[in-house]
Amino acid sequence: EAGVVQSPRYKIIEKKQPVAFWCNPISGHNTLYWYRQNLGQGPELLIRYENEEAVDDSQLPKDRFSAERLKGVDSTLKIQPAELGDSAVYLCASSFLAGVNEQFFGPGTRLTVL
Amino acid sequence: AQSVAQPEDQVNVAEGNPLTVKCTYSVSGNPYLFWYVQYPNRGLQFLLKYITGDNLVKGSYGFEAEFNKSQTSFHLKKPSALVSDSALYFCAVDGSGGYNKLIFGAGTRLAVHP
């Protein structure tokens, strides 16, 4: 079974440029999560989707971050414009339904903003 | 506020010796607790979870964790460490009462020496 797929794996951009990350969850998983992991810290939830609906985006910085999950499968997370402090690893995870189920994580996208 | 603390940045143990990675939590309501492991260049992998019932939870790769309500702890243990167990370990608590909104600790790096 294929795991959670993320691309790109690495991205280097200059500040003020836009950037987008893509995630393909495990087939059949209707819950999708985007996390940000700063160096030396644990992941922090940015947004959670149930199918195509964003049910928790309370920690998403909406002035520059946006996300979408069209058709309830793949998802894209965008930053525009990027700032130096956005340098981090962006993780996508999926799980089968909500509730207290294990989340399956992708390998992440390491973003460096210069 | 919900929170997780991992008091040790790094734990060093000799191969074959027992290991413990500590975690304490603060949550209102019933605690749903998780351990995840992160290997280099790979996504987080689920090890085990506590929902209810027996305080000793068994998980993947021979790991287990003991839930202690009075001490608000959920320490990860293994009777005999392997060099291949060397990785970054994260404790997490579901701070949403079962809606899978995980709050992660900062992580503990486990180094198992031959």
Side-chain angles (χ1 to χ4, degrees), chain A residues 29 33 94-96 99-104, chain B residues 34 36 45-47 49 100:
Chain A
H29 284 189
Y33 315 77
S94 68
S95 69
F96 180 62
V100 198
N101 297 312
E102 67 174 283
Q103 296 180 25
F104 293 81
Chain B
F34 298 77
Y36 283 80
Q45 296 178 32
F46 170 81
L47 279 179
K49 66 182 178 184
N100 224 352

Side-chain angles (χ1 to χ4, degrees), chain B residues 7-89:
Chain B
E8 304 152 317
D9 291 336
Q10 179 153 333
V11 170
N12 296 296
V13 64
E15 187 175 31
N17 284 0
L19 69 87
T20 299
V21 182
K22 296 180 181 178
C23 171
T24 59
Y25 66 90
S26 174
V27 63
S28 56
N30 293 323
Y32 303 123
L33 298 156
F34 298 77
W35 277 101
Y36 283 80
V37 60
Q38 189 173 36
Y39 297 100
N41 297 316
R42 295 176 64 179
L44 280 76
Q45 296 178 32
F46 170 81
L47 279 179
L48 50 79
K49 66 182 178 184
Y50 172 82
I51 307 300
T52 186
D54 194 348
N55 290 343
L56 186 64
V57 179
K58 294 189 182 297
S60 306
Y61 313 121
F63 284 92
E64 57 190 26
E66 186 169 12
F67 171 67
N68 187 316
K69 187 174 183 178
S70 63
Q71 297 186 3
T72 62
S73 67
F74 189 57
H75 300 333
L76 182 70
K77 300 181 180 183
K78 187 173 183 182
S80 179
L82 299 173
V83 173
S84 57
D85 292 330
S86 299
L88 191 56
Y89 290 81

Side-chain angles (χ1 to χ4, degrees), chain A residues 16-109:
Chain A
K16 300 185 181 180
Q17 294 300 307
V19 65
F21 314 122
W22 176 79
C23 173
N24 179 244
I26 290 174
S27 178
H29 284 189
N30 65 338
T31 307
L32 184 145
Y33 315 77
W34 282 103
Y35 290 87
R36 177 169 58 190
Q37 185 176 15
N38 292 313
L39 189 63
Q41 298 181 23
E44 296 177 318
L45 181 69
L46 292 173
I47 189 168
R48 175 169 67 94
Y49 282 92
E50 296 289 344
N51 299 305
E52 65 275 10
E53 182 182 0
V55 296
D56 184 353
D57 63 356
S58 57
Q59 294 177 254
L60 188 73
K62 298 180 183 64
D63 57 337
R64 297 183 300 107
F65 285 66
S66 65
E68 61 182 12
R69 192 185 184 198
L70 301 177
K71 301 181 181 179
V73 181
D74 295 1
S75 178
T76 302
L77 178 68
K78 297 178 181 178
I79 308 175
Q80 183 171 9
E83 297 179 351
L84 295 177
D86 295 331
S87 295
V89 176
Y90 291 84
L91 298 168
C92 179
S94 68
S95 69
F96 180 62
L97 298 178
V100 198
N101 297 312
E102 67 174 283
Q103 296 180 25
F104 293 81
F105 285 80
T109 297

Side-chain angles (χ1 to χ4, degrees), chain A residues 5-13 19-23 34 77 89-90 107-111:
Chain A
V5 179
Q6 291 188 247
S7 68
R9 292 293 310 276
Y10 305 90
K11 189 73 176 180
I12 301 174
I13 61 172
V19 65
F21 314 122
W22 176 79
C23 173
W34 282 103
L77 178 68
V89 176
Y90 291 84
T109 297
R110 182 176 297 277
L111 173 67

